[in-house]
Amino acid sequence: MTMDCNQAAMTLPGQRQDSLFGEAFSLPSPPPTDKTLEEIQTDLGDCQRCKLAKHRRHIVFGEGSPQARLVFVGEGPGADEDATGRPFVGRAGQLLDKIIAAMGLRREAVYICNVVKCRPPENRTPERDEVAACVGFLHRQLAVIGPDVIVALGASAASALLGDPKLSSISKIRGQFHDYRGIPLMPTFHPAYLLRSPDKKREVWDDMKQVMAKLKASTGARL
Ligand code: URA
């Protein structure tokens, strides 16, 4: 069944209304029909649902294991990702690769995706309407994968997933687990920020140690 993102973002009965970037916004339940990531990608199609479509070269859907126990969510594709159609392949991605390797994991074993699937011009922060048009696909991806832990890289990812308009600063919420639909979610600094502020790497590593401990302790039981 083809469903556009506006449909995907509708509030279903019994669902809570959350806020995103200061305005009422619903966290959509995924349609119960999703079984695979391919189905979601097919539904996304040659997406024209927001103004980011106009300038993009590739939609960057996400990549990794559909059975991943750990999912990293970034903000949106940059120039390298737009050119290749793959998430986190530029300088920030190379740093993310090092973080994943330091955790004792393989990039292929985790799943990596973004809040918006098309590159915002000049790598600006995605705007509210762009997030609203796209975030339903992210929710559906996470529902199909069903990871044990999610890492939100930066404020845009944390805000979109937690639906928290008061999320003024990633520094205030990082370092502790939050609840995303029963899945522990760790917000941490974005690797692009670490490239500019390498002194923050220690905090990210502390956060990843918590993530590793949570993965180790996880038996499929949710928060
Ligand atoms: N930054 C992001 O947030 N996502 C990417 O895929 C690359 C850089």
Side-chain angles (χ1 to χ4, degrees), residues 87-121:
F88 281 98
V89 292
R91 282 185 69 222
Q94 284 158 22
L95 183 51
L96 180 61
D97 286 348
K98 284 188 188 164
I99 294 168
I100 293 169
M103 295 171 80
L105 300 168
R106 288 174 306 112
R107 182 175 162 118
E108 302 71 43
V110 303
Y111 194 83
I112 304 174
C113 57
N114 285 298
V115 174
V116 295
K117 313 297 190 214
C118 298
R119 183 191 182 198

Side-chain angles (χ1 to χ4, degrees), residues 1-78:
M1 184 181 73
T2 300
M3 173 173 293
D4 74 21
C5 241
N6 292 329
Q7 279 175 280
M10 278 188 332
T11 309
L12 299 176
Q15 226 180 321
R16 72 197 163 110
Q17 273 292 128
D18 284 88
S19 294
L20 183 74
F21 305 133
E23 286 184 32
F25 192 81
S26 60
L27 285 180
S29 285
T33 51
D34 282 337
K35 291 200 173 49
T36 65
L37 292 169
E38 286 76 19
E39 275 179 69
I40 301 167
Q41 193 163 10
T42 302
D43 192 4
L44 185 59
D46 179 30
C47 186
Q48 305 292 328
R49 293 167 180 86
C50 86
K51 57 189 181 297
L52 295 180
K54 211 161 104 197
H55 300 291
R56 70 151 187 258
R57 288 174 67 188
H58 288 103
I59 294 179
V60 181
F61 181 70
E63 68 178 24
S65 168
Q67 283 91 38
R69 297 181 60 212
L70 177 61
V71 175
F72 290 90
V73 180
E75 177 177 283

